[in-house]
Every structure is written in structure tokens, then in C-alpha cells.
Amino acid sequence: MKVSYYPGCSLHATGKEYDLSIKTVSSALDIDLREVEDWSCCGASSAHMTNFKLSVALPARSLIAAEKDPGDVMVPCAACFNRLKTAQYHLRRDESLKKEIEEVVGGTFHDTVEIRHPLDIFYNDIGTDTMSAKVRKKLAGLKPVSYYGCLLLRPPEICQLDNYENPVIMDNLLNSTGAESMPWSYKTDCCGGSLTLGKTDVVVRLVDKLMTMAREAGANCLVTACPVCFANLDMRASENVRLPTFYFTEILALALGLEGPESWFRIHNTDPRPLLKSLNLL
Amino acid sequence: MATFLEEVNEKINGVPIQACYHCRKCTAGCPVAFAMEHNPNKIIKMIQMGMREEVLNSSTIWLCASCETCVTRCPNNVDIARMMDVLREIAIESKVPAKEKKILKFHEAFLSNIKSGGRINEPMMIVNYKLRSGDYFSDMAMGMSMFMKGKIKLISPRTKDMKSVRAIFKSTGA
Ligand code: SF4
Ligand code: SF4
């Protein structure tokens, strides 16, 4: 299966282990990823918070670039996923905005690509049965809570990924590895996102609450599907409540017995290796 | 002249905010309400009362994290997240100084980084943010540790066709 790949800026930097683990898992599942040619940044929160047209034009440029290769585009960062889907939503509905943006970008929007998150592709196209059949190391004892955050699910009419108050696809994928995903009520609460530099104290408070609630749910780690959430959880939690955080693709790679996980875990800020060693998973 | 309410509604270009019947569900679910000067529902009331200065001067419009919880749960589809975007746009256009200066400085550093390379280079963006905000010393140890782990690099691949990126910034006035 051939899929285009839009890594976004974070996956070339702080989200390096997300990029590496996605590529490793995809290749094990025969998903052939091809990077969108000469993509540019989606503008993230900073564009839509300050300039609406810019927030549509920047993703539109990359959507048009992706159209060289019509079909699915895998977008792993929840912020990029949300911005690309939002731009597409407006371009599909507002003919005059579409004309204006096409002029700004200097290209035509043909609407020939679908923006898809790897959770969706792994869950709906590969499926948990195939996944569990490929598991080489059952992750017994790993008790994650799935943390979906905001931008994968909201607004629901744009994201259309899963139930927006109680999503389950990440939980089901994790359970297919032998891990026991713990139920909790904070799956879609906010981590503070881009406030991390401009208003760090608010982010610390939100992240500490997530950690505290994860502990209360009986979890021994958190799992995310977004580099912004990951950075906040992995780096901003206070020492007394901190739990290790993983990308869901790191967990899949570990369970499938693929090369790489240990070297990715080494670059986490909160080292997850002691937990995995105590469970005989590393 | 248009009232403040009309100005905001026109820019939202969707459900007018007077559809709000003040049930405060938005505020109950807002993750940042605890830190806001005026909560999201109060901002709606203030706009209806024409309190332009107070709204644009408030910390609320900068603290909103755009988590979209409010609009997802509002029984009347009032798009508060979009309303907050609009209020920030109006504040910038009207040159009202941001109450949360560091948050605006972050957005400026972020966008100027895209303008110069088409993609974010995290160390350069952070240096730029620190120069703008004067917040020099926070997160130094974390930055060094990420650098040592090879997570952030001083040079990262840029967009090749920068002409088209610059054209986008120029014609959107950003
Ligand atoms: S949830 Fe909607 S109707 Fe209720 S107070 Fe908030 S904006 Fe108004
Ligand atoms: S989008 Fe803004 S106002 Fe709405 S719930 Fe989130 S932080 Fe609060």
C-alpha cells in the first residue's frame, strides 16, 4: 500500500522518535511512505490565532503539493492534521475563499488527496487482528492510558476520526499488543499545546493534572499520537507525579519486535526504560 | 459605524454570538478558564455590551489554547474558539498591546521562522522567541539536553521554493 507522508516540522526535530517509529512500523506493515515534495509548515496555532487567511493558505500550499500524488496522505502530528483538514474543509465549502487562496498560493486546489492520521490507517486499513497476529512480544504488565488530546478530534465535523468524547481506536490498537489500556476520563483534555513557551505555568498545571489522573486510573505510562502533546507530557510534568510517555507507534514497534525502540527511548526526557525493564519488556 | 458585536460577528462569518443563551457549558469545560481574567462566557456578554477596550485588553484572548472544547459542546454552535481568533486579529490590527506579551511574541517568532525557511527550525525559533520576549534563561538545560540527544539541530531541511512561501506571507499581510 502506497501512502504519501507529510511529517511536519516537529517530526524532523523534537518529534524525531515519532518519525522513526512510524517509518519502522509502516514498513513492517507493507505501507510504502513517500514524503510530499517540498512541503511547508502548516502554520500551526500561531497562524490561525492571528491571521485566518494565512492559516488556510499555508496548508493549502502543501495540499496542492501533495496532489502530485493523489490518494491518502499520512499526517502524524495532530496539529498538522487539524490544520490541513481545516483548510481542506474551508476550500471545499467556500468557492470565493478557494479562488482567493489559489491566487495567494499560485496553484489550483483539485481536492484529490485525503488527509489521514496514522491511527486511522493502522486501525481501519490494517486492523487489530492483523496487528495482534504480528505481535512477537506481548506487552503484559504495560498499563497505558491513551491520551488523544484536542486536535485529533475537535471540531468533530472536520476531524471525523473517532467518537470525540470517548475515542477508542488508540486503546484498541494498544490492547492488540497485549498491553492493558486503562479507562480514564481525560482522553481528550487539553495539555496546553502551544502555550508551552509563552505560558509555561499553565501547561505545567494541565500536564500535572493529566499525570495525576493517569495514576489514579492505575496506569504506569501515557501514550500519545501527537508530538506537541508528547513534548508537553514528556518534559513539563512535575517530578512527584511524572510517568513515562510513549508514542503509540513506539509501543507497536516494541510489540512487533522491530529494530529501534531502545534507541528512541534513550532520547525521551522522562526515561521509560526502567519501567520496561521492570516488566521484562526490554 | 458598526458596533463591536457586529464587527466580531462579521469576522466570525458563522453563527452570530447572540445565539448564546448563557448556559456556561463552554466555560465549565474550558481547560484554561482558571487562569483567564474573564471566562469565555463573560467575554460574550462583554462583547454584547460593547466593551471593546476591556475585551481586547484582556488576558483571556491570549490564554485561549484553541482546544475547541467550547464549540464542540455548545448547544447553540457558538464558535468561541473562532471568536477568540477573531478577537486576537482585531487586537493586532487595532494595535492594542497584548496583555500576555510572551504569548504574542511566541506567535511572532513562530511565523517569522516559517517566513524565512518555509518550515520551523526549533532552535532558531526559540532563540528568536527569547530575543523578542526577553525570557532568556528558561528551559536552557532542557534545550542543551535535547541538543545532545540529537533531537534539535541548528540546520534542518528547508522548503526549496521559498518564493511561493514569501508570496503567501506578503499577500495575506502576515
Ligand atoms: S456553551 Fe454556548 S450557549 Fe452556553 S454559554 Fe457557552 S457559548 Fe453560550
Ligand atoms: S478553545 Fe479556548 S475558550 Fe474554548 S475551551 Fe479551549 S481554551 Fe477555552
Side-chain angles (χ1 to χ4, degrees):
Chain A
M1 168 174 157
K2 285 189 168 41
V3 177
S4 298
Y5 185 56
Y6 176 93
C9 309
S10 293
L11 272 75
H12 279 175
T14 44
K16 187 174 163 183
E17 59 274 56
Y18 194 20
D19 182 57
L20 295 171
S21 56
I22 285 171
K23 288 179 174 157
T24 302
V25 173
S26 296
S27 107
L29 299 172
D30 291 320
I31 302 173
D32 178 14
L33 297 178
R34 283 166 305 175
E35 191 162 319
V36 172
E37 220 176 282
D38 209 33
W39 57 270
S40 45
C41 175
C42 70
S45 312
S46 296
H48 82 81
M49 284 183 173
T50 56
N51 184 324
F52 175 72
K53 285 210 178 108
L54 181 68
S55 82
V56 181
L58 280 173
R61 186 188 172 281
S62 293
L63 284 171
I64 292 171
E67 288 180 347
K68 284 204 189 99
D69 222 343
D72 290 341
V73 186
M74 185 193 278
V75 182
C77 168
C80 302
F81 171 80
N82 192 288
R83 294 327 305 164
L84 289 165
K85 293 277 273 189
T86 302
Q88 200 177 40
Y89 183 86
H90 290 304
L91 294 171
R92 281 175 177 168
R93 271 163 194 76
D94 188 337
E95 195 53 42
S96 77
L97 179 71
K98 175 172 162 281
K99 279 216 183 77
E100 192 181 345
I101 295 292
E102 285 178 336
E103 215 155 281
V104 167
V105 176
T108 312
F109 171 72
H110 297 286
D111 200 7
T112 54
V113 297
E114 255 341 296
I115 300 304
R116 299 187 63 192
H117 192 269
L119 273 176
D120 163 26
I121 296 180
F122 294 168
Y123 186 74
N124 292 308
D125 297 9
I126 305 293
T128 48
D129 290 345
T130 310
M131 205 64 89
S132 17
K134 285 185 183 276
V135 167
R136 296 243 294 273
K137 186 189 320 185
K138 277 207 169 282
L139 303 184
L142 198 68
K143 295 183 175 179
V145 281
S146 298
Y147 178 65
Y148 299 76
C150 308
L151 300 178
L152 287 177
L153 301 157
R154 287 189 297 263
E157 66 278 15
I158 291 179
C159 297
Q160 298 192 337
L161 184 77
D162 195 357
N163 182 304
Y164 57 90
E165 293 288 5
N166 185 24
V168 294
I169 61 179
M170 191 175 356
D171 296 78
N172 293 344
L173 276 170
L174 295 174
N175 288 338
S176 74
T177 68
E180 185 193 348
S181 131
M182 307 304 284
W184 71 324
S185 318
Y186 292 81
K187 289 179 175 182
T188 67
D189 273 39
C190 180
C191 71
S194 67
L195 294 176
T196 194
L197 287 174
K199 200 70 187 174
T200 310
D201 54 331
V202 167
V203 171
V204 170
R205 181 150 159 187
L206 297 179
V207 167
D208 280 357
K209 181 159 178 205
L210 293 170
M211 292 289 169
T212 307
M213 292 306 155
R215 283 170 182 270
E216 209 161 279
N220 50 22
C221 60
L222 289 84
V223 179
T224 90
C226 169
V228 185
C229 301
F230 181 90
N232 282 343
L233 294 168
D234 184 46
M235 298 196 293
R236 294 295 186 201
S238 305
E239 219 155 311
N240 57 327
V241 289
R242 188 185 285 170
L243 284 173
T245 303
F246 296 96
Y247 287 106
F248 80 103
T249 41
E250 292 180 309
I251 299 292
L252 296 178
L254 183 67
L256 299 184
L258 306 174
E259 286 291 322
E262 186 148 16
S263 66
W264 309 328
F265 300 153
R266 211 177 304 136
I267 57 177
H268 288 202
N269 185 55
T270 306
D271 192 346
R273 288 172 297 176
L275 167 70
L276 296 173
K277 282 187 182 138
S278 76
L279 300 170
N280 284 323
L281 298 175
L282 209 61
Chain B
M1 219 185 98
T3 63
F4 187 36
L5 176 66
E6 286 161 352
E7 183 185 1
V8 172
N9 276 334
E10 195 193 316
K11 280 206 163 223
I12 291 177
N13 189 22
V15 177
I17 59 171
Q18 56 273 36
C20 166
Y21 53 35
H22 303 291
C23 66
R24 299 173 51 108
K25 200 173 176 189
C26 51
T27 300
C30 173
V32 210
F34 74 89
M36 286 172 171
E37 195 175 354
H38 310 293
N39 66 46
N41 169 246
K42 194 168 160 206
I43 291 285
I44 294 190
K45 290 189 191 151
M46 290 167 76
I47 296 171
Q48 288 175 314
M49 290 161 74
M51 299 167 73
R52 193 172 195 276
E53 297 282 293
E54 291 84 345
V55 168
L56 299 182
N57 271 305
S58 75
S59 70
T60 302
I61 62 176
W62 301 102
L63 284 172
C64 161
S66 274
C67 73
E68 309 264 349
T69 308
C70 48
V71 48
T72 303
R73 294 184 181 162
C74 172
N76 298 314
N77 295 316
V78 176
D79 193 342
I80 295 196
R82 174 79 193 119
M83 177 188 86
M84 296 292 187
D85 285 352
V86 161
L87 294 171
R88 282 181 283 252
E89 282 190 37
I90 298 177
I92 292 170
E93 282 163 17
S94 322
K95 303 206 164 25
V96 177
K99 182 84 170 264
E100 292 286 342
K101 286 196 179 47
K102 281 165 58 184
I103 297 177
L104 178 59
K105 295 292 170 205
F106 170 78
H107 295 317
E108 288 172 356
F110 194 93
L111 294 178
S112 102
N113 200 242
I114 305 175
K115 204 173 179 173
S116 65
R119 301 176 190 172
I120 294 296
N121 172 286
E122 282 167 338
M124 296 318 285
M125 189 270 286
I126 291 169
V127 167
N128 189 314
Y129 162 71
K130 288 187 173 292
L131 290 175
R132 285 167 192 260
S133 64
D135 173 15
Y136 300 121
F137 302 111
S138 63
D139 296 332
M140 286 288 261
M142 198 115 65
M144 264 329 274
S145 138
M146 284 202 282
F147 190 69
M148 302 304 280
K149 287 173 174 172
K151 276 200 161 185
I152 51 179
K153 297 192 197 79
L154 293 177
I155 297 171
S156 55
R158 298 161 37 121
T159 303
K160 287 189 215 91
D161 177 16
M162 276 306 296
K163 230 176 95 194
S164 68
V165 175
R166 278 190 294 264
I168 290 175
F169 276 86
K170 191 150 181 260
S171 48
T172 54

